[in-house]
PDB file of all heavy atoms in Angstrom:
ATOM      1  N   GLY A 384      -4.297  -6.427  -2.310  1.00  0.00           N
ATOM      2  CA  GLY A 384      -5.658  -6.371  -2.807  1.00  0.00           C
ATOM      3  C   GLY A 384      -6.178  -4.989  -2.790  1.00  0.00           C
ATOM      4  O   GLY A 384      -6.877  -4.498  -3.699  1.00  0.00           O
ATOM      5  N   ALA A 385      -5.898  -4.267  -1.696  1.00  0.00           N
ATOM      6  CA  ALA A 385      -6.309  -2.888  -1.578  1.00  0.00           C
ATOM      7  C   ALA A 385      -5.739  -2.044  -2.688  1.00  0.00           C
ATOM      8  O   ALA A 385      -6.381  -1.149  -3.224  1.00  0.00           O
ATOM      9  CB  ALA A 385      -5.940  -2.274  -0.206  1.00  0.00           C
ATOM     10  N   LEU A 386      -4.474  -2.318  -3.016  1.00  0.00           N
ATOM     11  CA  LEU A 386      -3.868  -1.593  -4.156  1.00  0.00           C
ATOM     12  C   LEU A 386      -4.574  -1.839  -5.434  1.00  0.00           C
ATOM     13  O   LEU A 386      -4.903  -0.897  -6.203  1.00  0.00           O
ATOM     14  CB  LEU A 386      -2.380  -1.974  -4.318  1.00  0.00           C
ATOM     15  CG  LEU A 386      -1.669  -1.395  -5.550  1.00  0.00           C
ATOM     16  CD1 LEU A 386      -1.488   0.077  -5.319  1.00  0.00           C
ATOM     17  CD2 LEU A 386      -0.322  -2.063  -5.773  1.00  0.00           C
ATOM     18  N   GLY A 387      -4.899  -3.108  -5.714  1.00  0.00           N
ATOM     19  CA  GLY A 387      -5.652  -3.416  -6.925  1.00  0.00           C
ATOM     20  C   GLY A 387      -6.984  -2.701  -6.994  1.00  0.00           C
ATOM     21  O   GLY A 387      -7.316  -2.109  -8.007  1.00  0.00           O
ATOM     22  N   ALA A 388      -7.671  -2.742  -5.845  1.00  0.00           N
ATOM     23  CA  ALA A 388      -8.987  -2.058  -5.814  1.00  0.00           C
ATOM     24  C   ALA A 388      -8.823  -0.549  -6.054  1.00  0.00           C
ATOM     25  O   ALA A 388      -9.562   0.071  -6.747  1.00  0.00           O
ATOM     26  CB  ALA A 388      -9.670  -2.308  -4.472  1.00  0.00           C
ATOM     27  N   GLY A 389      -7.815   0.043  -5.343  1.00  0.00           N
ATOM     28  CA  GLY A 389      -7.569   1.459  -5.499  1.00  0.00           C
ATOM     29  C   GLY A 389      -7.253   1.824  -6.934  1.00  0.00           C
ATOM     30  O   GLY A 389      -7.732   2.813  -7.443  1.00  0.00           O
ATOM     31  N   LEU A 390      -6.447   1.026  -7.583  1.00  0.00           N
ATOM     32  CA  LEU A 390      -6.112   1.247  -8.992  1.00  0.00           C
ATOM     33  C   LEU A 390      -7.384   1.173  -9.848  1.00  0.00           C
ATOM     34  O   LEU A 390      -7.563   1.990 -10.807  1.00  0.00           O
ATOM     35  CB  LEU A 390      -5.055   0.246  -9.514  1.00  0.00           C
ATOM     36  CG  LEU A 390      -3.639   0.487  -8.960  1.00  0.00           C
ATOM     37  CD1 LEU A 390      -2.769  -0.701  -9.368  1.00  0.00           C
ATOM     38  CD2 LEU A 390      -3.109   1.772  -9.529  1.00  0.00           C
ATOM     39  N   LEU A 391      -8.227   0.213  -9.544  1.00  0.00           N
ATOM     40  CA  LEU A 391      -9.466   0.080 -10.337  1.00  0.00           C
ATOM     41  C   LEU A 391     -10.336   1.358 -10.192  1.00  0.00           C
ATOM     42  O   LEU A 391     -10.793   1.920 -11.203  1.00  0.00           O
ATOM     43  CB  LEU A 391     -10.245  -1.136  -9.822  1.00  0.00           C
ATOM     44  CG  LEU A 391     -11.456  -1.492 -10.701  1.00  0.00           C
ATOM     45  CD1 LEU A 391     -11.005  -2.151 -11.922  1.00  0.00           C
ATOM     46  CD2 LEU A 391     -12.421  -2.344  -9.874  1.00  0.00           C
ATOM     47  N   PHE A 392     -10.504   1.783  -8.962  1.00  0.00           N
ATOM     48  CA  PHE A 392     -11.331   2.984  -8.773  1.00  0.00           C
ATOM     49  C   PHE A 392     -10.689   4.205  -9.366  1.00  0.00           C
ATOM     50  O   PHE A 392     -11.308   5.017  -9.994  1.00  0.00           O
ATOM     51  CB  PHE A 392     -11.539   3.256  -7.278  1.00  0.00           C
ATOM     52  CG  PHE A 392     -12.470   2.235  -6.609  1.00  0.00           C
ATOM     53  CD1 PHE A 392     -12.348   1.959  -5.276  1.00  0.00           C
ATOM     54  CD2 PHE A 392     -13.414   1.553  -7.348  1.00  0.00           C
ATOM     55  CE1 PHE A 392     -13.201   1.049  -4.675  1.00  0.00           C
ATOM     56  CE2 PHE A 392     -14.241   0.631  -6.733  1.00  0.00           C
ATOM     57  CZ  PHE A 392     -14.147   0.387  -5.415  1.00  0.00           C
ATOM     58  N   GLY A 393      -9.345   4.317  -9.175  1.00  0.00           N
ATOM     59  CA  GLY A 393      -8.644   5.448  -9.810  1.00  0.00           C
ATOM     60  C   GLY A 393      -8.784   5.422 -11.317  1.00  0.00           C
ATOM     61  O   GLY A 393      -8.944   6.501 -11.930  1.00  0.00           O
ATOM     62  N   PHE A 394      -8.714   4.241 -11.854  1.00  0.00           N
ATOM     63  CA  PHE A 394      -8.850   4.130 -13.326  1.00  0.00           C
ATOM     64  C   PHE A 394     -10.214   4.584 -13.785  1.00  0.00           C
ATOM     65  O   PHE A 394     -10.331   5.370 -14.717  1.00  0.00           O
ATOM     66  CB  PHE A 394      -8.631   2.681 -13.777  1.00  0.00           C
ATOM     67  CG  PHE A 394      -8.695   2.463 -15.217  1.00  0.00           C
ATOM     68  CD1 PHE A 394      -7.623   2.907 -16.020  1.00  0.00           C
ATOM     69  CD2 PHE A 394      -9.787   1.902 -15.808  1.00  0.00           C
ATOM     70  CE1 PHE A 394      -7.662   2.717 -17.397  1.00  0.00           C
ATOM     71  CE2 PHE A 394      -9.833   1.724 -17.205  1.00  0.00           C
ATOM     72  CZ  PHE A 394      -8.743   2.119 -17.979  1.00  0.00           C
ATOM     73  N   ALA A 395     -11.279   4.149 -13.141  1.00  0.00           N
ATOM     74  CA  ALA A 395     -12.636   4.577 -13.520  1.00  0.00           C
ATOM     75  C   ALA A 395     -12.710   6.116 -13.440  1.00  0.00           C
ATOM     76  O   ALA A 395     -13.313   6.753 -14.239  1.00  0.00           O
ATOM     77  CB  ALA A 395     -13.646   3.901 -12.630  1.00  0.00           C
ATOM     78  N   ASP A 396     -12.145   6.668 -12.403  1.00  0.00           N
ATOM     79  CA  ASP A 396     -12.208   8.091 -12.180  1.00  0.00           C
ATOM     80  C   ASP A 396     -11.484   8.845 -13.309  1.00  0.00           C
ATOM     81  O   ASP A 396     -12.062   9.804 -13.897  1.00  0.00           O
ATOM     82  CB  ASP A 396     -11.503   8.415 -10.850  1.00  0.00           C
ATOM     83  CG  ASP A 396     -12.271   9.425 -10.050  1.00  0.00           C
ATOM     84  OD1 ASP A 396     -13.106  10.130 -10.617  1.00  0.00           O
ATOM     85  OD2 ASP A 396     -11.947   9.594  -8.847  1.00  0.00           O
ATOM     86  N   SER A 397     -10.249   8.442 -13.604  1.00  0.00           N
ATOM     87  CA  SER A 397      -9.515   9.178 -14.643  1.00  0.00           C
ATOM     88  C   SER A 397     -10.104   8.937 -15.991  1.00  0.00           C
ATOM     89  O   SER A 397     -10.026   9.797 -16.888  1.00  0.00           O
ATOM     90  CB  SER A 397      -8.027   8.848 -14.620  1.00  0.00           C
ATOM     91  OG  SER A 397      -7.788   7.578 -14.087  1.00  0.00           O
ATOM     92  N   LEU A 398     -10.664   7.730 -16.207  1.00  0.00           N
ATOM     93  CA  LEU A 398     -11.280   7.446 -17.473  1.00  0.00           C
ATOM     94  C   LEU A 398     -12.424   8.413 -17.790  1.00  0.00           C
ATOM     95  O   LEU A 398     -12.579   8.868 -18.910  1.00  0.00           O
ATOM     96  CB  LEU A 398     -11.795   5.994 -17.508  1.00  0.00           C
ATOM     97  CG  LEU A 398     -12.233   5.461 -18.807  1.00  0.00           C
ATOM     98  CD1 LEU A 398     -11.068   5.396 -19.780  1.00  0.00           C
ATOM     99  CD2 LEU A 398     -12.840   4.060 -18.665  1.00  0.00           C
ATOM    100  N   ALA A 399     -13.210   8.677 -16.735  1.00  0.00           N
ATOM    101  CA  ALA A 399     -14.362   9.552 -16.938  1.00  0.00           C
ATOM    102  C   ALA A 399     -13.961  10.912 -17.488  1.00  0.00           C
ATOM    103  O   ALA A 399     -14.560  11.422 -18.411  1.00  0.00           O
ATOM    104  CB  ALA A 399     -15.116   9.718 -15.641  1.00  0.00           C
ATOM    105  N   SER A 400     -12.902  11.438 -16.915  1.00  0.00           N
ATOM    106  CA  SER A 400     -12.488  12.798 -17.391  1.00  0.00           C
ATOM    107  C   SER A 400     -11.875  12.731 -18.792  1.00  0.00           C
ATOM    108  O   SER A 400     -12.119  13.619 -19.591  1.00  0.00           O
ATOM    109  CB  SER A 400     -11.563  13.477 -16.409  1.00  0.00           C
ATOM    110  OG  SER A 400     -10.763  12.529 -15.779  1.00  0.00           O
ATOM    111  N   LYS A 401     -11.142  11.658 -19.064  1.00  0.00           N
ATOM    112  CA  LYS A 401     -10.542  11.538 -20.370  1.00  0.00           C
ATOM    113  C   LYS A 401     -11.609  11.411 -21.461  1.00  0.00           C
ATOM    114  O   LYS A 401     -11.542  11.978 -22.533  1.00  0.00           O
ATOM    115  CB  LYS A 401      -9.662  10.286 -20.456  1.00  0.00           C
ATOM    116  CG  LYS A 401      -8.262  10.457 -20.002  1.00  0.00           C
ATOM    117  CD  LYS A 401      -7.407  11.160 -21.083  1.00  0.00           C
ATOM    118  CE  LYS A 401      -5.911  11.091 -20.751  1.00  0.00           C
ATOM    119  NZ  LYS A 401      -5.592  11.891 -19.606  1.00  0.00           N
ATOM    120  N   LEU A 402     -12.633  10.618 -21.145  1.00  0.00           N
ATOM    121  CA  LEU A 402     -13.673  10.382 -22.129  1.00  0.00           C
ATOM    122  C   LEU A 402     -14.494  11.642 -22.387  1.00  0.00           C
ATOM    123  O   LEU A 402     -14.973  11.875 -23.490  1.00  0.00           O
ATOM    124  CB  LEU A 402     -14.569   9.261 -21.667  1.00  0.00           C
ATOM    125  CG  LEU A 402     -13.936   7.867 -21.702  1.00  0.00           C
ATOM    126  CD1 LEU A 402     -14.903   6.805 -21.227  1.00  0.00           C
ATOM    127  CD2 LEU A 402     -13.513   7.561 -23.144  1.00  0.00           C
ATOM    128  N   ALA A 403     -14.599  12.436 -21.362  1.00  0.00           N
ATOM    129  CA  ALA A 403     -15.328  13.730 -21.550  1.00  0.00           C
ATOM    130  C   ALA A 403     -14.620  14.557 -22.624  1.00  0.00           C
ATOM    131  O   ALA A 403     -15.221  15.149 -23.475  1.00  0.00           O
ATOM    132  CB  ALA A 403     -15.450  14.458 -20.269  1.00  0.00           C
ATOM    133  N   ILE A 404     -13.264  14.515 -22.558  1.00  0.00           N
ATOM    134  CA  ILE A 404     -12.480  15.220 -23.530  1.00  0.00           C
ATOM    135  C   ILE A 404     -12.665  14.646 -24.926  1.00  0.00           C
ATOM    136  O   ILE A 404     -12.687  15.336 -25.915  1.00  0.00           O
ATOM    137  CB  ILE A 404     -10.972  15.167 -23.172  1.00  0.00           C
ATOM    138  CG1 ILE A 404     -10.748  15.865 -21.827  1.00  0.00           C
ATOM    139  CG2 ILE A 404     -10.138  15.912 -24.215  1.00  0.00           C
ATOM    140  CD1 ILE A 404      -9.347  15.711 -21.305  1.00  0.00           C
ATOM    141  N   LEU A 405     -12.772  13.318 -24.993  1.00  0.00           N
ATOM    142  CA  LEU A 405     -12.904  12.652 -26.294  1.00  0.00           C
ATOM    143  C   LEU A 405     -14.334  12.837 -26.847  1.00  0.00           C
ATOM    144  O   LEU A 405     -14.561  12.521 -28.021  1.00  0.00           O
ATOM    145  CB  LEU A 405     -12.615  11.178 -26.160  1.00  0.00           C
ATOM    146  CG  LEU A 405     -11.123  10.795 -26.119  1.00  0.00           C
ATOM    147  CD1 LEU A 405     -11.036   9.294 -25.859  1.00  0.00           C
ATOM    148  CD2 LEU A 405     -10.496  11.113 -27.437  1.00  0.00           C
TER     149      LEU A 405
END
Side-chain angles (χ1 to χ4, degrees):
Chain A
L386 175 68
L390 285 172
L391 188 76
F392 290 154
F394 182 75
D396 223 344
S397 24
L398 190 63
S400 31
K401 274 282 190 292
L402 288 180
I404 299 174
L405 280 174

